């Protein structure tokens, strides 16, 4: 079946602009995660959705970052007033949920954001 | 403060030999550990995992060893193949059903034919 998809694959924007990054999780996966990977670093957790609600947004760096998942499937990560330091690979992952087991997260290919 | 550390940024191994990738962690609450493999222009792909109640988990050519007292885990690949050349990330989580993975910086493995 289809994996996690992310669009666009690359996004170049200017400082101060607004961007939206989209994630389509694996069908049936109720959990969705956003991570950010800067050059030379591992992915860093941003936000986690269980269904439509953001269960944990503690990883969002500041209030310029916001994410939604209105129908419990597709999610959009929104960044306002972009800064050069926002340049990174933004990764989305999804997983099925089971209350008593560890759930493997399946990652998409990422969106590479470059802020000029 | 890095809670998951991969101290070797890169590793080169001859084809057919064993590759050993190491990972250390500092958070004693971590009880589930995963290895992901990442090729260029692709997202990380799950490789193998281990729960803290075990000290070894094997899947084909891949074996993960966990030493809880030392807060250390390692991934062994044997025999190594050129297609194994990728960046390998160690990740950890705490609690059953935990959702937040903490990743190391990764180790770039090159398997030389």
């Amino acid at each position: 079946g289809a994996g996690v998809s992310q669009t666009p694959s690359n996004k170049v924007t200017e400082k101060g602009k607004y961007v939206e990054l989209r994630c389509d999780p694996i069908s049936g996966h109720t959990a969705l995660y956003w991570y950010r990977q800067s050059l030379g670093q591992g992915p860093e957790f941003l936000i986690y959705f269980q269904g439509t609600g953001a269960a944990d947004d503690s990883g969002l760096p500041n209030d310029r970052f916001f994410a939604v998942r209105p129908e419990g499937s597709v999610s959009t990560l929104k960044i306002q007033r972009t800064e050069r330091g926002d340049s990174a690979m933004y990764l989305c992952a999804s997983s099925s949920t089971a209350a008593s087991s560890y759930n493997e997260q399946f990652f998409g290919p990422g969106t590479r954001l470059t802020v000029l | 403060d890095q809670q998951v550390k991969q101290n070797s940024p890169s590793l080169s191994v001859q084809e057919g030999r064993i590759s050993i990738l190491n990972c250390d962690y500092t958070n004693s609450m971590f009880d589930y550990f995963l290895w992901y493999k990442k090729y260029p222009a692709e997202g990380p792909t799950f490789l193998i995992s281990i729960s803290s109640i075990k000290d070894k988990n094997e899947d084909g050519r891949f074996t993960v060893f966990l030493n809880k007292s030392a807060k250390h885990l390692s991934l062994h690949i044997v025999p190594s193949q050129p297609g194994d050349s990728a960046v390998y990330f160690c990740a950890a989580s705490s609690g059953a059903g935990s959702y937040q993975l903490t990743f190391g910086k990764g180790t770039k493995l090159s398997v030389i034919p």
Side-chain angles (χ1 to χ4, degrees):
Chain A
V4 178
S5 62
Q6 292 185 246
T7 55
S9 55
N10 280 283
K11 176 70 178 179
V12 180
T13 191
E14 293 180 342
K15 180 175 178 293
K17 299 289 188 182
Y18 167 82
V19 296
E20 290 189 351
L21 312 179
R22 176 187 167 109
C23 172
D24 278 273
I26 292 172
S27 177
H29 279 187
T30 57
L32 185 145
Y33 318 79
W34 284 98
Y35 290 82
R36 179 168 72 173
Q37 185 179 10
S38 300
L39 199 61
Q41 304 293 317
E44 294 179 315
F45 170 80
L46 294 177
I47 186 170
Y48 155 63
F49 286 89
Q50 182 59 254
T52 60
D56 182 356
D57 64 358
S58 63
L60 295 178
N62 51 60
D63 61 6
R64 294 187 298 104
F65 288 74
F66 189 71
V68 295
R69 195 185 184 201
E71 297 178 358
S73 179
V74 170
S75 175
T76 304
L77 179 66
K78 308 180 180 192
I79 310 174
Q80 298 177 320
R81 304 183 305 279
T82 52
E83 300 177 357
R84 292 194 179 89
D86 298 336
S87 297
M89 177 72 81
Y90 288 82
L91 294 163
C92 176
S94 70
S95 70
S96 60
T97 54
S100 60
S101 66
Y102 294 93
N103 304 302
E104 176 191 336
Q105 296 182 22
F106 296 84
F107 283 82
T111 294
R112 179 164 296 285
L113 175 66
T114 303
V115 182
L116 300 177
Chain B
D1 179 33
Q2 279 248 290
Q3 296 188 65
V4 177
K5 300 177 185 179
Q6 294 178 257
N7 292 320
S8 297
S10 62
L11 174 69
S12 289
V13 172
Q14 206 73 30
E15 180 180 3
R17 306 296 288 268
I18 184 170
S19 296
I20 301 176
L21 296 96
N22 293 303
C23 178
D24 297 288
Y25 62 96
T26 58
N27 188 340
S28 58
M29 296 300 291
F30 288 147
D31 62 359
Y32 192 64
F33 305 90
L34 309 90
W35 285 93
Y36 279 83
K37 179 167 80 170
K38 186 181 184 304
Y39 293 118
E42 295 183 11
T45 303
F46 171 76
L47 193 56
I48 192 170
S49 63
I50 189 167
S51 164
S52 60
I53 61 173
K54 296 184 176 180
D55 55 16
K56 177 182 175 181
N57 189 27
E58 194 170 354
D59 183 3
R61 296 185 298 113
F62 302 91
T63 303
V64 56
F65 296 91
L66 175 62
N67 183 333
K68 281 183 62 180
S69 61
K71 293 191 176 68
H72 176 83
L73 63 155
S74 60
L75 174 68
H76 293 210
I77 306 173
V78 56
S80 301
Q81 299 173 353
D84 296 330
S85 297
V87 177
Y88 288 78
F89 289 100
C90 173
S93 72
S94 56
S98 177
Y99 47 83
Q100 188 177 136
L101 295 179
T102 301
F103 284 85
K105 290 186 177 183
T107 296
K108 183 176 182 180
L109 173 66
S110 299
V111 180
I112 305 161

